[in-house]
Amino acid sequence: IGTFNTVNLWTLKSITNSNDSKAKRRAAMAMLMSESDESINTWSDAQNWKNIKIRTNILFDCLEKAGCFILRKGAIESYYTCSNKETSTGKPSEALEEIESLRKRTNEFVDENYNDILRALYYSSKTNQIDESDAIKRELLSEVAPILHILSDKTTVSDINAVVQQSRGTDKTLFVYELINDCGTLGINVDLSTKIIDVVGFPFLINKGNNVNDVVEKAIRSRR
C-alpha cells in the first residue's frame, strides 16, 4: 500500500507474523480507515482503496444504527493524541495520561479526534449508566490482597511494587499505596493516582487481617 504513520496492535502483529493473513487484513483496514483521502490518493490503486473505504464506512454506519459500534481505526490506542500509539496498548497509565491531556483541549478538538468513540458514548448514554466503581473494586482486589499477604514491619514501597508486578504483570497501577504502622498495627493507606475516575471512597485505610472484600465493598462506591 505504501508508507503509513499509523501503527497499532494489528500492524505490529502483521510485521512479526508474516503468515497471519487475518492480522494483515486488520492492519490494512486500520490503516485505510486512519488515513485521509488526500493521503490515500498517493497509494497504488488509490481509487480501489477509496471505494473500499466508502463501502466500509457505509457498512459501519448501518451497524451503528443498530447499536453496534466499531473502532474504525482499529484500537482505542490508535485515537491517542498525546500518548505513544505504538507502545501504549493495554497500559492503563498511558490511557490516564491521554485522558488528562484531553482535559486541556477544546470540545472541538475532542470531537474531531475521538468522534467514533463519542458517537458510541452518546448512543450508550440512552441506556443504563456505567458504574465505574465495579471495575475499580476488581482492580483493587487484585492488588490489595497480595500486598496485605506479604505485609510486615520490614515491607518497603519496592516490595509493594514487586507484588503489583507479579500479580498484574506490570508495575503500573491506578492506586497509590502508603505503608502504615500504627503502634504495631500494620496496614496500607490506599488512594487513587488520578482524580478523573468517577468514584468516591478514596483514600481509605485497610489493616493486615481485615476482610479485604468487605473493606473495599464498603469504601468504594459510585458518585451517582
Side-chain angles (χ1 to χ4, degrees):
I1 297 176
T3 302
F4 302 91
N5 293 325
T6 301
V7 180
N8 59 30
L9 175 63
W10 292 109
T11 60
L12 292 174
K13 272 193 170 185
S14 67
I15 291 171
T16 57
N17 186 355
S18 59
N19 295 322
D20 191 340
S21 61
K22 180 187 289 186
K24 288 182 178 180
R25 290 196 299 271
R26 291 188 177 183
M29 184 59 66
M31 291 177 179
L32 180 64
M33 302 306 290
S34 299
E35 297 295 319
S36 65
D37 287 346
E38 291 75 13
S39 175
I40 296 173
N41 282 333
T42 65
W43 302 0
S44 300
D45 299 320
Q47 190 57 51
N48 288 333
W49 285 112
K50 289 170 68 175
N51 289 339
I52 292 173
K53 183 174 182 178
I54 291 171
R55 293 198 299 271
T56 303
N57 273 321
I58 292 173
L59 172 61
F60 287 168
D61 289 342
C62 292
L63 290 173
E64 287 187 8
K65 292 183 183 299
C68 177
F69 290 81
I70 297 172
L71 296 183
R72 304 189 184 200
K73 294 184 180 181
I76 186 65
E77 291 81 11
S78 299
Y79 293 82
Y80 285 3
T81 60
C82 172
S83 303
N84 191 320
K85 298 178 182 180
E86 298 185 24
T87 61
S88 59
T89 302
K91 296 183 179 179
S93 56
E94 277 76 7
L96 290 174
E97 179 183 353
E98 178 70 12
I99 295 172
E100 292 287 2
S101 73
L102 293 179
R103 292 164 65 91
K104 304 173 185 177
R105 302 288 192 173
T106 63
N107 290 341
E108 291 75 17
F109 178 89
V110 175
D111 185 70
E112 178 182 354
N113 290 277
Y114 275 83
N115 193 257
D116 292 348
I117 292 92
L118 289 175
R119 290 197 307 276
L121 292 175
Y122 290 144
Y123 186 93
S124 62
S125 67
K126 302 174 185 177
T127 60
N128 293 332
Q129 293 183 329
I130 297 173
D131 187 352
E132 291 183 331
S133 65
D134 287 339
I136 292 300
K137 288 174 184 177
R138 289 194 295 271
E139 292 280 321
L140 271 172
L141 292 173
S142 70
E143 294 182 12
V144 171
I147 291 172
L148 291 177
H149 179 71
I150 60 97
L151 197 61
S152 72
D153 56 2
K154 297 181 180 180
T155 301
T156 64
V157 174
S158 296
D159 295 330
I160 290 179
N161 292 336
V163 170
V164 173
Q165 172 74 48
Q166 185 176 15
S167 61
R168 301 293 308 282
T170 174
D171 60 358
K172 302 295 184 181
T173 177
L174 298 176
F175 313 107
V176 177
Y177 298 105
E178 178 187 358
L179 294 165
I180 302 295
N181 189 338
D182 184 10
C183 299
T185 301
L186 303 176
I188 50 175
N189 192 66
V190 187
D191 201 358
L192 270 173
S193 60
T194 176
K195 303 303 180 184
I196 63 174
I197 297 178
D198 196 21
V199 298
V200 296
F202 291 97
F204 68 90
L205 173 67
I206 181 168
N207 292 321
K208 188 177 180 69
N210 287 162
N211 186 306
V212 179
N213 290 305
D214 286 348
V215 174
V216 170
E217 183 64 31
K218 292 176 181 177
I220 308 307
R221 60 189 183 280
S222 172
R223 292 185 187 275
R224 300 182 182 90

